[in-house]
Amino acid sequence: MDAFVERMSIGPSAGVPLAVKDCIDVAGFATRLGSRALAEAAPAARSAAVVSALLDRGYRLVGKTHMHEFAYGVTGVDSAGQGPLNPLFPDRIPGGSSSGSAVAVAAREAEVALGTDTGGSVRVPAACCGVFGVKPTFGRVSREGVAPAASSLDCVGVLARSARALAAAMAALDRDFHLQGCDIGKVARLRAAAEPPVETAVDRALGQTPLKVSDAVLPGFEAAYQAGLKLIAAEAWQAFGRYAEDPRVGRDVAERLRGAASVSAADVAEAERIRATFTAEVERLLDTVDAIVLPTLPSLPPKRAEVGEARNVVAITALVRPFNLSGHPALTIPLRTPAGAPAGLQVIGRKGQDARLCGLAEMLEQTIPSVITDMSENA
């Protein structure tokens, strides 16, 4: 399976090729959210604000991309083993839920792709497929014309083959985004549970930069991860719970939706309390440094043949999901482990300083050889 559910050509022939996740409206085309339950959906009357913004800036829309059904999965592979093939690492999952968007960029069928990130769904597939991905500050980029209509976690994000292309797309999406030279010098290296090859890749990359790196911890990190799971479940049930018993819905997603029904009002209230506490914790740390750095994935992306039920690998989001809860901008830069497998360096910035974060990504792209060296080999 390739990246696209539907191909098209909208915009100037010389425009930057753009792909769009199938939860984002494109005028004249149905938005099916990767689900057979929406096979008969009517075409969208108008394009999402983010699509219109990029078309207005001369991008050329080449297609709508596959996604994990209802954006409620992290592997990009359904319970029948179907999903787009990871171009650079074909034995590994493409990651979800913006699987097709990452695959389109990695396969060079798009220079830039739009995805959505509720619990890591841009950053995880970007890291799995060896490309760049950014989740903006929550609320910064319009979600008009994006499903689900309401979310306290979800952001439209960008995937691209280079940090420069990532920043250019962000500037097109937000007229207040003005990229400047990187003046970031001091970063906090967050120590969180990750496998040794991943930790080695991150520390080796940081060691090649001029950044001043100091170790740090966020005591509420694990609680924030769990709270993020509770909130995404509650909001997924509100948005898509009516499909939980629909036989056209994949088994893995249907089971997660049924499980989401058990999240109580008390669970949500406790998650919101943790959100407030953890957000303040992140803010305090960012008061002392310019950015926070840590791995994007806690382990190597699972092998496609070994993934089993998608719900069993949700822990692949353990290092990204907390920053959906806090709402801070987060970006992933592609790395390789010493053995050549895909990994990612995740960088967290202050709220509203998305341009500064993208500037740091450009600097890191230029100073870390492993970011751009021989990403075409399979691992």
Side-chain angles (χ1 to χ4, degrees):
M1 182 184 292
D2 72 6
F4 295 96
V5 294
E6 197 160 10
R7 293 177 184 264
M8 59 200 70
S9 182
I10 302 173
S13 59
V16 175
L18 167 70
V20 174
K21 186 178 181 178
D22 196 26
C23 61
I24 301 173
D25 287 347
V26 174
F29 296 87
T31 303
R32 298 189 176 96
L33 284 82
S35 180
R36 290 186 298 134
L38 299 178
E40 304 305 319
R46 60 180 181 177
S47 292
V50 287
V51 174
S52 296
L54 290 170
L55 291 176
D56 288 348
R57 295 289 288 268
Y59 285 73
R60 176 170 58 91
L61 180 56
V62 298
K64 298 197 78 175
T65 58
H66 283 285
M67 57 180 284
H68 207 113
E69 190 171 19
F70 296 133
Y72 204 29
V74 302
T75 64
V77 179
D78 65 20
S79 51
Q82 298 299 305
L85 189 68
N86 187 329
L88 304 185
F89 309 96
D91 60 335
R92 299 190 183 274
I93 63 168
S97 61
S98 304
S99 52
S101 293
V103 167
V105 171
R108 298 180 176 269
E109 294 199 75
E111 179 72 22
V112 169
L114 294 180
T116 58
D117 192 313
T118 317
S121 289
V122 163
R123 289 161 289 160
V124 167
C128 289
C129 293
V131 301
F132 290 80
V134 64
K135 176 197 80 70
T137 301
F138 179 78
R140 176 157 191 165
V141 173
S142 174
R143 293 188 68 260
E144 177 188 346
V146 178
S151 174
S152 73
L153 299 166
D154 189 50
C155 302
V156 175
V158 179
L159 301 98
R161 291 206 308 271
S162 70
R164 174 80 39 119
L166 201 73
M170 282 294 297
L173 293 173
D174 181 355
R175 299 304 173 92
D176 293 328
F177 182 101
H178 302 292
L179 189 64
Q180 300 175 345
C182 177
D183 61 351
I184 293 176
K186 185 177 180 182
V187 300
R189 168 65 162 97
L190 191 63
R191 292 296 169 181
E195 292 182 353
V198 175
E199 293 278 15
T200 298
V202 168
D203 287 333
R204 183 178 64 177
L206 291 172
Q208 295 171 311
T209 75
L211 297 173
K212 298 176 181 178
V213 183
S214 58
D215 282 356
V217 294
L218 288 169
F221 197 77
E222 172 62 23
Y225 167 68
Q226 296 295 337
L229 285 173
K230 291 292 186 184
L231 285 178
I232 196 175
E235 293 179 0
W237 176 254
Q238 289 296 318
F240 306 117
R242 64 190 181 277
Y243 296 108
E245 303 303 330
D246 191 315
R248 296 170 295 180
V249 173
R251 185 180 70 250
D252 62 324
V253 173
E255 288 181 359
R256 287 195 73 194
L257 284 173
R258 287 192 287 270
S262 66
V263 179
S264 67
D267 291 331
V268 170
E270 175 62 9
E272 290 291 2
R273 184 195 67 77
I274 293 170
R275 189 205 295 263
T277 301
F278 180 69
T279 300
E281 203 173 279
V282 177
E283 296 283 1
R284 285 194 297 272
L285 181 54
L286 285 169
D287 283 342
T288 67
V289 294
D290 297 306
I292 300 168
V293 294
L294 70 160
T296 307
L297 306 177
S299 61
L300 303 184
K303 294 287 184 72
R304 193 181 182 103
E306 301 169 355
V307 70
E309 294 293 339
R311 60 185 174 149
N312 295 333
V313 294
V314 72
I316 198 173
T317 66
L319 306 185
V320 290
R321 193 178 297 274
F323 301 107
N324 291 92
L325 192 74
S326 70
H328 290 82
L331 185 149
T332 183
I333 296 169
L335 298 178
R336 289 283 192 110
T337 67
L345 169 62
Q346 185 180 194
V347 188
I348 314 301
R350 299 185 183 114
K351 289 185 179 181
Q353 295 192 4
D354 305 60
R356 199 164 181 238
L357 187 66
C358 288
L360 174 60
E362 283 203 30
M363 183 273 281
L364 293 174
E365 182 179 30
Q366 295 165 9
T367 58
I368 303 173
S370 57
V371 169
I372 56 175
T373 300
D374 203 15
M375 288 299 285
S376 61
E377 287 186 5
N378 295 332

